[in-house]
Amino acid sequence: VSQVTKDIIVREYNIPADKIMVVHNSINPDELADVNFASSYMYLEEMKKRGYKVVVSLGRLTVQKGLRYLIQAAARVVDVNEKVLFLIAGDGELRDELIEQSAELGVAHNVIFTGFLRGQRWRDAYAIGDMFVMPSVSEPFGLTALEAAGTGNAVLLSKQSGAGEVLRSVLKFDFWDTNKLANYILAVAEQPVLQQTLMSNVQNEFSRLQLNISNQITNA
């Protein structure tokens, strides 16, 4: 599903590179359609009216997803700008550890854990965000990045994520580089022109990707 994955297979299993074809993942854009219900996150809507920015991360709460590094970056961000909130959507074995980490770093009041989501609350988690962060330690592709792009978020991806091969208008960082991630989050939160440019460009990329896939299906 990505060149990242292909390189690992070649390196670890000695499979000839010419025997492996990369076919990037895609999604059905209809799944992101707005069904015009009231937002599931009325508290965050109100906080945004008061000048807060919302950072969204959605996925399983596992070591692979790199949420520990996001919480570390969140502490650096909040130390500079208290009007940044972090919405961490999903569930997994690291949930309690991440909640404790947020408390220990003094940012529990800025980090919101939703638990497992589906349906409208899942769509609304993207819609409420000003930016989406995927800090994965290792991510063969990362469909949530496409979902975020399709809903108009500014997107920040770890360099270890395969989705970065098809989304160019994103900010990339090494998963362990919490200083750079914090600086990126602050830049997007405090520079409206940067946020709008990232949002517009990545959404256009998403639209072109869907058009290319449709043409491939039609011509198949």
Side-chain angles (χ1 to χ4, degrees):
V1 295
S2 64
Q3 185 65 41
V4 169
T5 305
K6 176 176 178 176
D7 291 344
I8 292 173
I9 294 171
V10 171
R11 182 178 67 250
E12 300 296 332
Y13 299 98
N14 296 316
I15 306 298
D18 59 2
K19 290 185 176 292
I20 304 170
M21 178 182 295
V22 174
V23 180
H24 292 109
N25 280 332
S26 185
I27 61 175
N28 180 359
D30 293 340
E31 295 178 358
L32 304 177
D34 182 3
V35 294
N36 297 318
F37 293 161
S39 173
S40 305
Y41 302 97
M42 296 179 64
Y43 166 73
L44 292 179
E45 292 278 11
E46 180 61 32
M47 297 304 283
K48 291 184 70 169
K49 292 176 184 177
R50 301 183 184 188
Y52 282 77
K53 295 292 185 177
V54 177
V55 179
V56 174
S57 184
L58 195 153
R60 290 178 293 111
L61 306 187
T62 64
V63 172
Q64 175 193 353
K65 299 298 182 179
L67 277 305
R68 291 167 174 158
Y69 300 99
L70 178 57
I71 300 297
Q72 291 174 24
R76 297 176 186 272
V77 169
V78 173
D79 189 51
V80 176
N81 185 345
E82 293 184 352
K83 286 194 168 184
V84 181
L85 299 173
F86 294 80
L87 182 68
I88 298 182
D91 206 354
E93 64 269 20
L94 286 188
R95 177 180 177 275
D96 291 346
E97 178 182 323
L98 294 171
I99 291 173
E100 290 176 4
Q101 182 186 10
S102 299
E104 289 169 357
L105 293 177
V107 292
H109 55 294
N110 285 74
V111 183
I112 300 166
F113 293 87
T114 70
F116 178 75
L117 298 181
R118 60 160 58 96
Q120 181 67 19
R121 294 189 68 219
W122 166 75
R123 286 188 292 270
D124 285 352
Y126 289 114
I128 197 67
D130 294 289
M131 69 193 87
F132 173 86
V133 177
M134 188 165 72
S136 299
V137 174
S138 176
E139 191 71 58
F141 187 80
L143 282 174
T144 53
L146 284 187
E147 292 165 353
T151 50
N153 275 265
V155 178
L156 288 65
L157 298 178
S158 72
K159 294 178 181 178
Q160 292 71 30
S161 304
E165 296 172 14
V166 297
L167 296 176
R168 310 294 184 182
S169 299
V170 301
L171 298 178
K172 297 181 182 179
F173 57 93
D174 287 303
F175 71 86
W176 44 262
D177 195 343
T178 55
N179 283 329
K180 177 172 281 189
L181 175 54
N183 289 338
Y184 279 163
I185 291 171
L186 286 167
V188 176
E190 297 175 352
Q191 300 179 36
V193 173
L194 174 61
Q195 180 189 349
Q196 188 57 48
T197 299
L198 289 170
M199 290 168 61
S200 176
N201 288 350
V202 80
Q203 194 162 29
N204 287 337
E205 282 189 337
F206 175 81
S207 297
R208 287 196 298 271
L209 286 170
Q210 300 309 312
L211 179 61
N212 290 339
I213 291 168
S214 297
N215 290 337
Q216 291 170 9
I217 292 174
T218 300
N219 296 328

